[in-house]
Amino acid sequence: MTRFTSDKEAADALYQSYRDLTTEISKVIVGQEEVVRLVLTAVFCQGHCLLVGVPGLAKTLLIQTIASSLDMSFNRVQFTPDLMPSDIVGAETLDKDRNFNFVTGPIFANIVLADEINRTPPKTQAALLEAMQEHAVTVAGRRYDLPQPFFVLATQNPIEQEGTYPLPEAQLDRFMFNIWLDYPSYESELQIVKNTTGALKYNLNKILHADDILAFQQLVRRVPVVDNVVEYAVKLVHSTRPNEPMGSQQASQYLEWGAGPRASQHLIVGAKCNALLNGKYSPDIEDVQAVALPILRHRIVRNFKAEAEGITVSQIIRELL
């Protein structure tokens, strides 16, 4: 790990590391620059991500590629209806000397890919979400800390509801970002087909180590923010709350529930990181707006009027911005 003489030098190193990471990732992932930016922002902010998109949009490949460019441990869990909490957390086993030993599950990794998280029952979802919040698991009354840094990157298929267990809003709040993946453009899909139907293989370089990530996470926390940016973020969250003194007309008309204080916290931390990734040393209002949509998308609940009129959550957020 490189030692920096000042926060300015560390900020410049983060900016350069981000550029190097995106270059490596682009060897495999065509397009999706915004998605890559948001996932890396979550990594540097100690946040977790939920990626939502129809099958075939390379959600799993994207996460595996990002993990390959970071020198950290990586595990993938394919969620199924019969998956039990012990299958991801681990369990105690009896050895030949009749002693209990704890065998760690796949959650004991720096980066955990929770593939199709909505396909497993709430009991198993809760075990994962508890580990996301506590960065530790408890088995047989004993606490086991997870390796640091620790990120959960979950995927979800929005078009199939049969045999799924949708995450309730209170549990979705554990994710910093809810990232929607759209279909690629015509030009991007041409490049994807050319890259994936031949014999060409790419070897990705390891750009950052675990210690580097931890240092950059602390750097993001130390970034100064002026009061008007904090006030803008908090007012934006308050504007999503219907029938509140600072609630907007759109919120009272189209929303059942607004975002909570965790959204305000994520807006500021996300804005700090977004500023650093763009070569700035302090965030402004534009940085808050750059991360607002994926932070608020899963934290506000539409009412019947919005659903009946076809008003989407994204439309409401864009009007508030």
Side-chain angles (χ1 to χ4, degrees):
M1 174 184 170
T2 305
R3 298 292 180 181
F4 302 109
T5 58
S6 66
D7 282 351
K8 179 182 180 300
E9 183 181 341
D12 294 336
L14 173 57
Y15 173 67
Q16 185 58 48
S17 297
Y18 170 68
R19 292 169 64 92
D20 295 339
L21 276 170
T22 53
T23 300
E24 287 299 309
I25 294 168
S26 64
K27 292 179 181 178
V28 178
I29 302 299
V30 178
Q32 306 290 9
E33 291 86 359
E34 179 71 6
V35 176
V36 172
R37 178 183 69 84
L38 290 173
V39 172
L40 292 177
T41 298
V43 167
F44 294 125
C45 292
Q46 297 175 279
H48 308 288
C49 282
L50 179 64
L51 278 74
V52 182
V54 299
L57 296 185
K59 299 185 294 295
T60 302
L61 178 62
L62 171 66
I63 295 172
Q64 289 175 331
T65 303
I66 291 175
S68 297
S69 60
L70 300 172
D71 190 17
M72 295 189 292
S73 57
F74 169 74
N75 281 332
R76 173 186 177 181
V77 183
Q78 185 67 48
F79 279 61
T80 58
D82 61 347
L83 198 72
M84 298 296 292
S86 58
D87 293 329
I88 62 170
V89 170
E92 287 198 326
T93 60
L94 197 64
D95 63 17
K96 62 180 181 180
D97 298 321
R98 303 183 66 83
N99 296 317
F100 282 103
N101 292 319
F102 177 64
V103 179
T104 60
I107 201 171
F108 282 82
N110 296 121
I111 301 175
V112 177
L113 166 56
D115 222 346
E116 296 190 285
I117 189 175
N118 58 329
R119 290 211 171 276
T120 201
K123 188 176 183 179
T124 306
Q125 291 176 352
L128 174 67
L129 291 161
E130 180 183 358
M132 288 166 52
Q133 183 69 21
E134 303 297 331
H135 287 211
V137 299
T138 302
V139 178
R142 183 175 296 181
R143 177 187 171 99
Y144 299 92
D145 292 326
L146 296 172
Q148 296 299 319
F150 174 70
F151 315 103
V152 171
L153 304 174
T155 68
Q156 190 168 284
N157 177 1
I159 63 174
E160 263 182 350
Q161 298 304 321
E162 186 176 353
T164 63
Y165 304 84
L167 289 169
E169 281 73 16
Q171 292 184 347
L172 285 172
D173 195 49
R174 300 284 177 87
F175 291 95
M176 179 178 184
F177 288 140
N178 182 342
I179 306 172
W180 279 82
L181 277 77
D182 293 322
Y183 289 110
S185 65
Y186 174 74
E187 291 77 13
S188 295
E189 193 160 346
L190 276 178
Q191 191 62 44
I192 290 170
V193 172
K194 291 177 181 177
N195 289 355
T196 56
T197 55
L200 188 62
K201 292 186 178 181
Y202 295 99
N203 293 320
L204 298 182
N205 298 314
K206 304 287 187 182
I207 303 300
L208 291 176
H209 306 285
D211 289 342
D212 299 322
I213 298 290
L214 291 171
F216 288 142
Q217 287 175 346
Q218 294 303 313
L219 171 67
V220 169
R221 295 282 172 169
R222 293 195 300 270
V223 170
V225 187
V226 294
D227 287 344
N228 72 302
V229 175
V230 178
E231 291 167 2
Y232 175 81
V234 176
K235 285 179 181 176
L236 176 60
V237 172
H238 273 261
S239 70
T240 67
R241 299 170 185 171
N243 305 316
E244 291 284 330
M246 298 182 67
S248 66
Q249 181 181 352
Q250 292 93 335
S252 299
Q253 188 175 7
Y254 293 121
L255 295 182
E256 189 77 26
W257 296 100
R262 190 176 286 167
S264 300
Q265 296 170 330
H266 284 322
L267 282 173
I268 293 302
V269 176
K272 288 181 177 184
C273 185
N274 191 74
L276 292 176
L277 298 186
N278 285 282
K280 298 186 291 185
Y281 301 117
S282 182
D284 51 30
I285 289 175
E286 286 73 19
D287 292 302
V288 176
Q289 293 172 336
V291 297
L293 183 59
I295 287 175
L296 296 176
R297 180 186 280 134
H298 56 300
R299 290 185 165 90
I300 62 178
V301 181
R302 294 179 299 164
N303 58 20
F304 178 77
K305 178 179 174 64
E307 293 181 8
E309 296 182 10
I311 304 296
T312 66
V313 168
S314 298
Q315 288 174 324
I316 296 172
I317 295 172
R318 289 192 176 97
E319 287 184 12
L320 295 177
L321 290 174

